[in-house]
Amino acid sequence: MNSTTKQAPDALPSQRLPVAAKPNRVPNKRGSKQPQPSSQSFRNRLRRDKQMLLMMVPGVAFLLLFFYIPILGNVIAFQDYQPFLGIGNSMFVGWQNFSDLFNNPDFIRAFWNTLYLAAWQLVLLFPIPLILALMVDSLVSNRVRRIFQSIAYLPHFLSWVLVIAFFQQMLGGAGFVNNVLRDMGLDPIPFMSNPDTFPLLVVVQMIWKDAGWAMIIFLAALASIDAALYEAAAVDGAGRWRRMWHITLPGLRPVIILLLILRIGDILSVGFEQYILQRDAVGADAAEVLDTFAYYTGVIGGGWSSGAAAGLAKGVVGALLIYGANKLAHRFGEDGIFARKVG
Amino acid sequence: MASTLLKRNDKALSFDPKRPPWQERPSLLQQAIKSLVLILFSLSILLPILLVVSTSLADNEQIVEAGGFVLWPERPNLDAYITIFKGPLVLQSLGVSLFITSVGTVLALFVTITMAYATSRPVLFGRPIVIAVLFTLLFTPGLIPSFLMIRQLGLLDSLWSLILPGVFAAFNFVVMRAFFMNIPGELIESARIDGATDWQILWRIVVPLSKAVIAVVGLFYAVSFWNSFFNALLYINDQSKWPIQLLLRNFVVQSSGAAEQLGISTTAPPQSIQMAVVVVALVPILMVYPFLQRHFTKGVITGAVKG
């Protein structure tokens, strides 16, 4: 530390050099983790980092305007919010909005729908990208591999409106498949408007849109598994399934856990646009989820406070779920999402 | 006897130059299943796109004959496109989408690059700000408060309501910052010794070194602006400010009012007109996609897989 104090008076940017070049310190990949020289005064550091701090201004302004101030705006969930009075003058009603919500059958229905749809997604959606990745990874021809990857990534970049439009054209009442069925003298099947099969439809849409893209991260993890492990196992007589079980899957474990946590945290945001686009076709009984409930109650119905309360309840539960899942991951000795990452 | 021996030998000795020696050749059945799955998956993606494009190009007779959908247009023509571009609405909404996509992407890249670079170096307030950004991955403020904020800012019915909320995404920030942190500190120190300011270092050294990640993150932002539908539904009432996705929703997905809404007379078959609107929303994505694709893996992995 002394070596830095000697240089401190000139307060030039170059004084960061001794910190970085200090001998004996194990070089640290995460640059910002390096302790600041404690001898530098706050004002000196402020002056030294002036330009860097200026660079943060646009981003911080964004965070404040569209994230942190709106979070404070959630206070209307505890108010009887009247738009003409504003947040400042509206009456506080405590937990009234929440207890109203839990007595509101529409909200209860939206809540159960959300959980129900999320469970379908968790079970059906999760393994498919992994299976696809294992299949693609075992392809021998690089060319076939590349072509398949190009095709499989594509739907991820299409909007939900387009995806639904495609599904409608293919599976809708006047869609391609039903046309074929009619030509064959069969009865058309209402794929797109049957509330009973709606969860399956939604999951199929999600697989179509994102399974290929989700594969990318498994492929990367697969490529990083040491081939020597496979060779050693092969020499020891392990067949292909044993190698997959004992080498491939453990190699993918951190990625699998990371993705699982992210999914669990997302469990209550089952997919907003997808539902709002199809709510008319299948009816609110099947397609009303917490997000659409908040939208219809708040923005369309003018029940600002109930809508905000529904949104807040969802946000808090979602955050707790992520936090809990991450804790669980730590217990299993994995990094999770924010273990050593914040640096 | 001989045949089984030969078979076993064959299996043990089968050598494929492209396959590492420890990998066994899969059985025919396994290969068949695998191919079938991958081919069906690809077809499920390609077939709808082909159908939509073909139908948009086909003429009325063929569509009626085929019962609504055409796999290959026999007499391709652009009637449907001419029809939709005669009315003002498609052109207007294309203009809106192009505007929010281009302006939004430039702004978003600026905000993300500066923020990611500033926090990628040991700097005052760096750590708390990174935590503040990562927190946005955990929690969302909710629909209603965001709406009230936009209204408070007077952005309702303004195109900025479609741009500003999207100019910074935590995921893209993480990708960008991870990339910047891998740039060797010596490079930056030496520039500093030569008298470069932080600002100059960013634009003259760091940004030129990071073209790949900037391309990927730029693509992610551009796609999200081009695809944004819900913000428009929330914030935009004025029909002349609809982006193409909202038009697509009202015209194709809900198909309410259909042609009158587009301000056109129905001379071309409605089916091909609907498909033409779908294609108009689809084509820009198909156009940029091949150019940026080779960067995907690198960009995503920098951000997602640690170490």
Side-chain angles (χ1 to χ4, degrees), chain A residues 13-14 16-17 29-33 36 42 45-46 48-49 51-53 55-56 58-60 62-63 65-71 73-74 76 81 83 132 135-136 138-140 148-155 157-159 161-162 164-166 168-170 174-176 179 207-208 211-213 216-217 220 227 230-231 234 238-241 243 258 272-273 276-277 280 291 294-295 298-299 304 307-308 312 315-316 318-319 322-323 335-338 341-343, chain B residues 16 18-19 22-26 30 34 37-38 41-42 44-49 51-52 67-69 110-111 114-115 117-119 121-127 129-141 143-151 153 164-168 174 177 181 189 192-193 197-199 202 219-220 223 227 229-230 233-234 245 248-249 252-254 271 274-275 278 281-282 285-286 289 293 296-297 300-301 303-307:
Chain A
S14 63
R16 249 176 273 178
L17 190 58
K29 259 197 304 187
R30 307 270 182 249
S32 54
K33 243 186 185 170
Q36 298 287 342
F42 182 76
R45 289 170 60 195
L46 204 61
R48 185 197 71 187
D49 291 341
Q51 285 194 326
M52 298 292 251
L53 291 171
M55 284 182 207
M56 295 178 185
V60 170
F62 169 87
L63 282 183
L65 266 186
F66 295 106
F67 194 80
Y68 284 99
I69 297 178
I71 282 189
N74 270 309
I76 71 165
Y81 176 75
L132 275 182
M135 284 181 171
V136 171
S138 66
L139 286 175
V140 176
F148 178 75
Q149 279 174 282
S150 309
I151 297 173
Y153 296 162
L154 177 65
F157 296 93
L158 305 181
S159 69
V161 186
L162 263 178
I164 307 288
F166 275 140
Q168 226 176 34
Q169 298 308 325
M170 296 301 287
F176 180 71
N179 276 350
I207 291 171
W208 191 83
W213 180 251
I216 203 171
I217 192 168
Y230 286 110
E231 279 171 52
R240 62 174 25 242
W241 294 109
R243 289 192 299 235
L258 173 81
F272 198 174
E273 301 197 345
I276 212 156
L277 285 165
D280 293 340
D291 283 320
Y295 171 71
V299 180
W304 299 103
L312 184 61
V316 170
I322 277 207
Y323 186 76
D335 263 2
I337 30 171
F338 35 82
K341 194 172 182 183
V342 182
Chain B
D16 186 334
K18 283 182 234 159
R19 197 183 282 277
W22 45 268
Q23 255 191 17
E24 283 170 40
R25 185 182 274 286
Q30 283 169 343
K34 190 168 77 184
V37 169
L38 295 185
F41 192 80
S42 313
S44 82
I45 292 166
L46 292 179
L47 190 67
I49 295 177
L51 265 181
V52 163
F69 291 93
F110 178 80
V111 174
T114 49
M115 185 84 157
Y117 176 65
T119 52
R121 300 288 138 191
V123 73
L124 200 61
F125 302 130
R127 204 182 146 86
I129 284 179
V130 172
I131 293 173
V133 174
L134 293 185
F135 185 66
T136 66
L137 288 170
L138 266 190
F139 190 81
T140 47
L143 176 77
I144 306 289
S146 305
F147 179 85
L148 293 179
M149 187 71 202
I150 293 286
R151 201 178 61 182
L153 292 171
L164 293 179
V167 296
F168 185 79
V174 171
R177 180 169 171 268
M181 286 200 305
E189 285 311 331
R192 205 167 264 143
I193 289 168
T197 62
D198 286 322
W199 190 251
L202 174 57
L219 172 77
F220 288 163
V223 166
N227 284 346
F229 141 77
F230 187 64
L233 182 68
L234 265 182
Q245 305 290 342
L248 186 66
R249 180 249 192 176
V252 180
V253 177
Q254 300 204 316
Q271 185 72 12
Q274 287 201 359
M275 297 305 99
V278 173
L282 173 72
I285 301 271
L286 293 185
Y289 180 72
Q293 208 198 347
F296 284 165
T297 318
V300 173
I301 291 159
V305 182
K306 289 160 283 176

Side-chain angles (χ1 to χ4, degrees), chain B residues 11-250:
Chain B
K11 203 178 169 189
L13 292 176
S14 73
F15 180 69
D16 186 334
K18 283 182 234 159
R19 197 183 282 277
W22 45 268
Q23 255 191 17
E24 283 170 40
R25 185 182 274 286
S27 73
L28 212 58
L29 182 70
Q30 283 169 343
Q31 241 171 346
I33 294 175
K34 190 168 77 184
S35 317
L36 195 69
V37 169
L38 295 185
I39 287 173
L40 282 181
F41 192 80
S42 313
L43 273 185
S44 82
I45 292 166
L46 292 179
L47 190 67
I49 295 177
L50 178 69
L51 265 181
V52 163
V53 175
S54 297
T55 308
S56 79
L57 291 171
D59 63 1
N60 203 1
E61 279 171 51
Q62 204 192 344
I63 294 175
V64 172
E65 206 176 289
F69 291 93
V70 173
L71 258 180
W72 193 254
E74 272 163 23
R75 295 168 294 273
N77 64 69
L78 293 172
D79 288 353
Y81 294 92
I82 293 169
T83 315
I84 61 170
F85 283 120
K86 263 187 198 153
L89 217 46
V90 173
L91 272 181
Q92 269 172 359
S93 62
L94 259 185
V96 167
S97 278
L98 286 176
F99 176 79
I100 61 171
T101 304
S102 50
V103 174
T105 306
V106 171
L107 269 179
L109 279 178
F110 178 80
V111 174
T112 310
I113 289 174
T114 49
M115 185 84 157
Y117 176 65
T119 52
S120 72
R121 300 288 138 191
V123 73
L124 200 61
F125 302 130
R127 204 182 146 86
I129 284 179
V130 172
I131 293 173
V133 174
L134 293 185
F135 185 66
T136 66
L137 288 170
L138 266 190
F139 190 81
T140 47
L143 176 77
I144 306 289
S146 305
F147 179 85
L148 293 179
M149 187 71 202
I150 293 286
R151 201 178 61 182
Q152 197 66 35
L153 292 171
L155 293 180
L156 285 187
D157 258 342
S158 148
L159 292 188
W160 291 105
S161 67
L162 305 181
I163 293 175
L164 293 179
V167 296
F168 185 79
F171 176 79
N172 292 341
F173 164 84
V174 171
V175 171
M176 196 80 106
R177 180 169 171 268
F179 196 93
F180 288 162
M181 286 200 305
N182 282 335
I183 292 176
E186 291 81 8
L187 200 65
I188 286 159
E189 285 311 331
S190 64
R192 205 167 264 143
I193 289 168
D194 288 345
T197 62
D198 286 322
W199 190 251
Q200 288 168 329
I201 291 172
L202 174 57
W203 297 110
R204 300 246 186 99
I205 295 174
V206 175
V207 167
L209 282 174
S210 316
K211 279 188 194 128
V213 77
I214 291 174
V216 174
V217 168
L219 172 77
F220 288 163
Y221 276 124
V223 166
S224 79
F225 281 115
W226 181 263
N227 284 346
S228 77
F229 141 77
F230 187 64
N231 279 354
L233 182 68
L234 265 182
Y235 305 136
I236 305 285
N237 276 319
D238 184 353
Q239 218 182 40
S240 68
K241 288 174 183 162
W242 278 359
I244 188 83
Q245 305 290 342
L246 195 56
L247 186 79
L248 186 66
R249 180 249 192 176
N250 288 5

Side-chain angles (χ1 to χ4, degrees), chain A residues 181-198:
Chain A
L181 285 179
R182 266 189 223 105
D183 285 350
M184 286 160 45
L186 299 168
D187 283 335
I189 305 170
F191 297 102
M192 295 291 288
S193 54
N194 185 352
D196 297 328
T197 53
F198 183 66

